[in-house]
Structure formats: C-alpha cells, structure tokens
C-alpha cells in the first residue's frame, strides 16, 4: 500500500526533493517516492511499504526513467525481504511492471540474486534481506557515480563536436535527477554545459502524451537557472530548419546488442531530422541500459500504453465527471481509439554516439558495444 504526503510550501518553486529514498521509521522500512505524475504543480511523496504498491507506482509513472527504475526495483526486492513478504513473487512482479527499460530487470535481478545467494547458502532470511538492501544501496550509489561520469564524457564530446561553446541542445522527454540516483543522463550533460558556461539554450520537447518534458524537464531546468525554451514536439522540425539546433541529447531505455536504441516515442523522428540537417544525435545512458541479450531493435518489446493518455488531458487536480478511464479532460470524442506506444526504436546508423560512464561509443557498432560491456560491470540479462 502507499500513503501520500503532500508537502506544503511554495510548490511553484521546485525544491529538488530526491526522486526516491529508503527510510527506516519505527513502524518498518519504507521506500519514499516523489510522485512524478503530480509534478510540477505539487510535490507529493508516495510511501511504499510493499512491492505491489511499488509496481503500481512504476506502472503509473509515479516513479519512472530507466536508471531510476533499476534502483527502485532493487529497493522493491529489499522491501519485500525486510518486511517478510514472498521475495520471489515480489521480484517477478517488479521485473514485469514495465517491459522496455532493461534497467528495471537489471536492478531487480541484482537485489534478488543477492538475496537468493544467502538463502540458497543456508543463511537466515534476515541476513538475506540485508544482502538485498546492500545490493540496492550499491546500485543507487553506482548510478549516481555513473551520472557524474556521463556528464563529463558528454560535455567533452559536445566540445569536440562543436568547439567554442554556445551549445543549443534539443532534448526529448526527461532525463535529469528524476530518472537517476544522480543528476541524470542526457540532462546531466546539458547541466554540465550550463555550469561550464557553454550552454546557450536547452530546447525542451514537451513530449506528448504524458508531457515529461513540459512537466519535468522544465521543472529541473528552472531549478538549474539555465536558459531553456519549451516547444511542442511537432515544432522541432522547424527549429532544425532554422538552424537553431546544434545537437540532440536524449536518454535510452534499452540499447540492443546491434546499437538500436529504444527511447521515448518521438526520439526516432528527431534522429531522422538530425541526420537530414547534419546535427549530432547523441544518446546518453549508463552501461546497464545496454542489453547484450537483445540482439536488435526488432527484438525490443515496446510498451503500449492506454489510449486514454492520448484522448484525455489528465489534470489530477481537476477530476472530470464522465471522463474515460483516465479521469482526464477528453480532447477527442468519447470512444476514440488511440495508438500510444511509450517508446520507439532508433537504428544505430542514425546514432552519432552513445555516451556512457565508461566513455563514448562512436560509431555505434555491435563490436564496440560488446567491448564496452566487457570493460564494465554490466550485468548481462539472459
Ligand atoms: C534516461 S531514462 C529516461 C527515459 O525514460 C523515459 O521513459 P518514461 O518516462 O516512460 O519512463 C524516456 O524514455 C527517457 O528517455
């Protein structure tokens, strides 16, 4: 179950609360999530005491973003273990909560493996729970460190591709501290450029239908003080045509062995526009997002989400009587069906570079990615 704690105060000014944190109050350990579906209007925390509550939070995107899903999944296994629930059931439910971001499975399996290693070795469940929690904490720390290293490698790549600074970066969806144990992936690179005085502007795609860009990236950009401008997704083409984009920076949810990149829907059209306009298309993701066991883009399961996310504008503070399942404000005739893939897949030949904590891969080839995984602590999914 999950309780909600609304935070008073000036919610118009983002406070930069952590996307998630583990707490151990007297009544028992909890995973506290900043409910991202309520941002930017409200900073509301969800307190999860079991895996089912966390599964629902993942499915509703209260907690989201590939690297953070891995961290949350690992803590979810630990939560089940320390509270004495069925850990194997919890791991299975968490791993299948969303299919595309490979990090979720990586995080869940890492904590579950730590738990099973103790139990299968005859250790007591309390020690096994401690091992699962230690694995979750370790992954959380590693993700924060990876974020910082990606920012360094990413800024160096921008400076190499475009000497002189004044970078005008277009980004899609949300890839900041709300998807990470640190400052994020692609957004962390833009943040590093801003801090170095080499970001002229961040162009922020609103990212329909759930508006991660308008609601979350703008929220993080405002906190940082960087120059940023929001645009509708379908306005991006005219920005490229006007020569206003120096590079595209996006995250990733799964990178297949051949370098195909699954990312928020709308990323593939940006890659095509970037190629047509001779603009670098740069993917920023931790090595845990590379999945050697997924051979190519056609093998990536793309999450299909409910149609009401397209046919309604969801305004949580404005429940609408008679609205469809989503409880939003209809923008299409009731009964309209909608095509709503959460992600799309960009082929490797349209990706200029993949920036990871282990360095930059460019060109993006099967061999280069295999070498990257061999260099890192990548947990292979089999
Ligand atoms: C770098 S992880 C952020 C990644 O996750 C987003 O998807 P969602 O908001 O559905 O979790 C999007 O694909 C971002 O690029």
């Amino acid at each position: 179950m999950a309780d909600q704690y609304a935070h008073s105060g000036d919610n118009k000014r983002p406070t930069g609360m952590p996307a998630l944190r583990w707490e151990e109050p007297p009544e028992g350990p909890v995973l506290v999530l900043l409910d991202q579906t309520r941002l930017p209007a409200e900073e509301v925390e969800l307190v999860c005491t079991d895996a089912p509550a966390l599964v629902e939070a993942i499915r509703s995107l209260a907690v989201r973003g590939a690297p953070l899903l891995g961290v949350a999944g690992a803590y979810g296994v630990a939560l089940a273990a320390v509270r004495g629930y069925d850990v194997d059931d919890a791991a299975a439910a968490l791993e299948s909560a969303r299919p595309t971001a490979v990090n979720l499975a990586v995080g869940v399996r890492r904590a579950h493996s730590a738990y099973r290693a103790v139990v299968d070795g005859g250790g007591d469940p309390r020690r096994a729970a401690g091992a699962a929690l230690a694995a979750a904490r370790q992954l959380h720390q590693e993700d924060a460190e990876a974020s910082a290293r990606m920012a360094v490698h990413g800024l160096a790549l921008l400076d190499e591709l475009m000497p002189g600074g004044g970078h005008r970066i277009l980004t899609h969806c949300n890839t900041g501290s709300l998807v990470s144990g640190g400052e994020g992936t692609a957004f962390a690179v833009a943040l590093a450029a801003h801090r170095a005085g080499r970001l002229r502007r961040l162009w922020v795609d609103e990212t329909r239908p759930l508006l991660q860009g308008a609601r979350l990236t703008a929220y993080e950009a405002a906190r940082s003080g960087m120059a940023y401008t929001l645009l509708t997704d379908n306005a991006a083409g005219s920005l490229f045509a006007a020569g206003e984009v120096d590079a595209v920076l996006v995250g990733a949810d799964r990178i297949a062995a051949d370098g195909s990149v699954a990312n928020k829907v709308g990323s593939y059209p940006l890659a095509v526009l970037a190629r047509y306009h001779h603009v670098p298309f740069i993917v920023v993701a931790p090595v845990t997002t590379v999945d050697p066991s997924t051979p190519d883009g056609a093998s990536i399961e793309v999450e299909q989400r409910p149609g009401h996310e397209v046919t309604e504008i969801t305004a949580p503070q404005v429940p609408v009587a008679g609205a469809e399942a989503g409880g939003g404000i209809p923008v299409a005739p009731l009964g309209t069906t909608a095509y709503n893939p959460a992600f799309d897949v960009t082929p490797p030949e349209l990706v200029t570079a993949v920036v990871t904590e282990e360095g930059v891969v460019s060109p993006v080839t099967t061999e280069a990615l295999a070498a990257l995984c061999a260099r890192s602590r990548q947990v292979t999914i089999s």
Side-chain angles (χ1 to χ4, degrees):
M1 51 92 70
D3 298 318
Q4 284 191 355
Y5 294 159
H7 281 261
S8 57
D10 171 12
N11 279 328
K12 299 298 173 284
R13 183 177 47 78
T15 61
M17 294 162 68
L20 66 76
R21 66 182 192 276
W22 176 271
E23 288 196 341
E24 296 184 348
E27 58 272 18
V30 296
L31 185 61
V32 182
L33 307 171
L34 176 58
D35 184 347
Q36 298 189 32
T37 66
R38 309 291 288 268
L39 293 174
E42 298 177 279
E43 292 182 335
V44 174
E45 289 188 318
L46 291 175
V47 180
C48 296
T49 59
D50 58 27
L54 180 55
V55 167
E56 177 49 36
I58 291 170
R59 287 187 175 145
S60 67
L61 277 73
V63 60
R64 47 158 290 282
L68 195 73
L69 289 177
V71 175
Y75 276 123
V77 171
L79 191 61
V82 295
R83 281 183 167 262
Y85 298 123
D86 186 308
V87 177
D88 296 340
D89 286 353
L94 287 163
E95 184 168 332
S96 60
R98 290 184 76 192
T100 306
V102 67
N103 311 63
L104 177 57
V106 169
V108 169
R109 293 184 187 181
R110 183 148 165 189
H112 193 206
S113 300
Y115 173 84
R116 292 285 353 153
V118 175
V119 169
D120 296 346
D124 72 76
R126 285 172 59 86
R127 193 159 67 81
L133 180 56
R137 291 188 195 282
Q138 175 72 20
L139 179 61
H140 198 172
Q141 178 59 32
E142 285 174 8
D143 189 62
E145 291 163 359
S147 177
R149 292 165 64 190
M150 283 186 277
V152 172
H153 291 310
L155 179 56
L157 177 63
L158 290 178
D159 292 341
E160 179 191 334
L161 292 172
M162 300 165 297
H167 307 321
R168 295 165 299 178
I169 304 296
L170 185 137
T171 193
H172 192 67
C173 198
N174 172 251
T175 58
S177 60
L178 293 169
V179 305
S180 163
E183 295 189 313
T185 60
F187 185 84
V189 176
L191 199 53
H194 165 62
R195 288 170 178 158
R198 295 201 287 280
L199 178 73
R200 186 167 147 197
R201 181 160 302 280
L202 183 67
W203 297 111
V204 179
D205 268 5
E206 65 173 353
T207 316
R208 280 270 299 155
L210 296 181
L211 303 176
Q212 288 93 326
R215 296 187 302 109
L216 307 178
T217 300
Y219 168 86
E220 293 183 310
R223 246 176 68 71
S224 76
M226 69 173 63
Y228 71 100
T229 301
L230 183 63
L231 61 142
T232 61
D233 301 324
N234 42 33
S238 57
L239 268 187
F240 281 95
E244 288 290 335
V245 181
D246 298 315
V248 177
L249 284 180
V250 295
D253 290 78
R254 190 183 295 247
I255 301 174
D258 73 343
S260 299
V261 176
N263 195 52
K264 183 53 54 196
V265 62
S267 301
Y268 172 54
L270 289 177
V272 173
L273 280 165
R275 177 53 50 89
Y276 181 80
H277 291 280
H278 310 292
V279 168
F281 181 84
I282 300 167
V283 174
V284 185
V287 176
T288 47
T289 305
V290 179
D291 176 15
S293 66
T294 297
D296 51 33
S299 310
I300 298 175
E301 181 182 352
V302 174
E303 178 185 5
Q304 299 298 322
R305 291 191 62 85
H308 68 73
E309 292 178 353
V310 177
T311 59
E312 299 169 13
I313 297 290
T314 304
Q317 299 84 347
V318 185
V320 178
E324 293 248 304
I329 301 165
V331 293
L334 292 183
T336 299
T337 57
Y339 169 61
N340 187 20
F343 305 99
D344 57 26
V345 179
T346 298
E349 58 268 23
L350 294 182
V351 180
T352 307
V354 172
V355 175
T356 77
E357 68 275 32
E358 297 288 346
V360 176
V361 174
S362 180
V364 181
T365 65
T366 302
E367 296 73 21
L369 288 174
L372 172 81
C373 293
R375 283 201 309 273
S376 80
R377 290 189 294 271
Q378 163 73 9
V379 176
T380 57
I381 299 286
S382 53

